[in-house]
């Protein structure tokens, strides 16, 4: 093979490599788009998991499963007037920047649009993917929420009119919270135990608030897990995970960690329901 031919082959290889480079994930909301203050996800509606195929119908009236839901509701809502209820109220907030702090203690890093833009966008977009994936089943079953059934309040009174019109099963908060925990284990696998425990507690907060039944929460976790599995073939998502890993390393090196006192208070509050299902 001549030198000229070798140079031509090399040039073609370089061009091919350039065409197959990893996509640059966006960090600006203007590039992603949003609706009602929530960023668009990585997936289209057609790409999302089929929650109606994933979860069984909600527990029937008079069933043992519904009795179990009622028992769990009473046990969890009994904690509402205390530190666990206060934490559940915080966990109900899905708007950013406030929502960026929910997993900061479990991750051991402060999360913000300014210092960790890829990590922040990762959470914003997977919220839409996992939460949105619950709606095929939600719309089908239109399950009445527990606070409506018992004519009681929740930890977020302002949201109650909207919740009354939104099906309870599966839980969207639980789906997205569980998805956040799993996605963050990809970013920081060494923190997997703490992140998954926080994801469980985040979903359980919906029971403490009285906004969801136990079975809603369990079904939401299944949908969230499947959404994360679907995202593993999305190149923009995977590129954002890779960038988020770098940000976490830089943030730790720079000492950008949550306040120890805040994390101790969160841990103490969450410990109050750790023994309860789900």
């Amino acid at each position: 093979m001549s030198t000229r031919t070798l140079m031509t082959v090399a040039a073609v290889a370089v061009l091919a490599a350039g065409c197959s480079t990893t996509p640059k994930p966006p960090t600006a909301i203007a590039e992603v788009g949003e609706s009602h203050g929530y960023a668009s996800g990585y997936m289209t509606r057609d790409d999302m998991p089929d929650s109606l195929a994933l979860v069984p119908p909600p527990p029937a009236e008079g069933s043992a499963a519904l009795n179990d839901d009622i028992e769990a509701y009473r046990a969890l809502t009994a904690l509402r007037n205390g530190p666990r209820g206060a934490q559940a109220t915080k966990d109900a907030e899905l708007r950013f920047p406030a929502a960026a702090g929910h997993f900061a203690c479990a991750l051991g890093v402060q999360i913000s649009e300014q210092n960790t833009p890829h990590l922040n966008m990762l959470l914003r977009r997977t919220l839409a993917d996992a939460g949105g994936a619950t709606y095929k089943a939600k719309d089908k079953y239109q399950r009445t929420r527990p606070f409506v059934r018992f004519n009681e309040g929740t930890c977020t009174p302002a949201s109650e009119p909207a919740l009354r019109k939104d099906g309870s099963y599966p839980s969207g908060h639980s789906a997205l919270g569980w998805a956040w925990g799993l996605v963050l284990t990809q970013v920081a696998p060494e923190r997997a135990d703490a992140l998954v425990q926080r994801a469980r507690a985040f979903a359980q907060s919906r029971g403490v608030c009285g906004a969801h039944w136990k079975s809603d929460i369990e079904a939401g976790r299944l949908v969230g897990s499947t959404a994360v599995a679907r995202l593993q073939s999305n190149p923009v998502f995977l590129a954002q995970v890779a960038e988020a890993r770098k940000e976490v390393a830089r943030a730790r090196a720079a000492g950008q960690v949550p306040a120890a006192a805040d994390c101790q208070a969160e841990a103490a509050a969450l410990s109050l329901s750790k023994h309860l299902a789900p």
Side-chain angles (χ1 to χ4, degrees):
M1 187 179 288
S2 67
T3 301
R4 183 181 295 277
T5 302
L6 286 170
M7 291 176 65
T8 300
V9 171
V12 170
V14 169
L15 287 172
C19 291
S20 62
T21 54
T22 302
K24 183 179 180 181
T27 57
I29 199 68
E31 299 176 80
V32 173
E34 63 180 338
S35 176
H36 304 291
Y38 294 103
S40 299
Y42 296 98
M43 294 188 281
T44 66
R45 182 70 68 174
D46 290 339
D47 293 331
M48 290 179 180
D50 182 354
S51 56
L52 194 55
L54 284 171
V55 301
E61 193 67 33
S63 66
L66 181 57
N67 289 336
D68 190 38
D69 270 356
I70 293 171
E71 288 181 14
Y73 171 79
R74 292 302 183 200
L76 290 169
T77 56
L79 298 173
R80 192 183 303 161
N81 295 324
R84 185 62 183 90
Q87 183 62 52
T89 302
K90 292 179 184 178
D91 286 349
E93 177 58 71
L94 299 182
R95 302 279 183 174
F96 283 73
H102 292 323
F103 281 72
C105 290
L107 184 62
V109 165
Q110 290 178 334
I111 304 170
S112 69
E113 184 178 7
Q114 294 72 33
N115 295 327
T116 57
H118 286 284
L119 183 56
N120 187 72
M121 187 59 74
L122 195 63
L123 296 180
R124 294 195 69 172
R125 298 194 74 181
T126 51
L127 181 158
D129 291 325
T134 63
Y135 271 89
K136 196 168 183 180
K138 271 182 180 287
D139 292 342
K140 166 69 175 178
Y141 296 119
Q142 285 295 316
R143 189 184 193 189
T144 300
R145 291 176 184 262
F147 80 91
V148 177
R149 179 185 177 108
F150 297 113
N151 195 29
E152 297 174 350
T154 70
C155 61
T156 55
S159 69
E160 289 172 18
L163 291 177
R164 287 175 180 273
K165 301 174 185 176
D166 189 48
S168 189
Y169 179 89
S171 165
H173 270 76
S174 301
L176 67 91
W178 192 249
W180 278 347
L182 296 179
V183 167
L184 289 172
T185 66
Q186 290 185 251
V187 174
E190 72 284 357
R191 302 283 295 187
D193 284 357
L195 289 164
V196 174
Q197 287 176 49
R198 183 65 180 98
R200 179 197 169 217
F202 184 89
Q204 192 186 55
S205 285
R206 300 307 287 159
V208 175
C209 277
H212 280 292
W213 302 98
K214 173 188 171 184
S215 55
D216 299 342
I217 295 167
E218 292 171 336
R221 292 194 303 225
L222 176 60
V223 176
S225 297
T226 310
V228 173
R230 281 283 184 92
L231 286 169
Q232 301 312 306
S233 62
N234 185 294
V236 178
F237 165 80
L238 294 174
Q240 200 116 56
V241 168
E243 293 299 323
R245 287 193 193 107
K246 298 173 189 176
E247 289 178 345
V248 167
R250 289 195 294 267
R252 286 176 178 162
Q256 294 167 352
V257 298
D262 291 343
C263 292
Q264 289 167 2
E266 178 182 282
L270 296 179
S271 70
L272 298 174
S273 64
K274 191 173 182 178
H275 63 290
L276 297 174

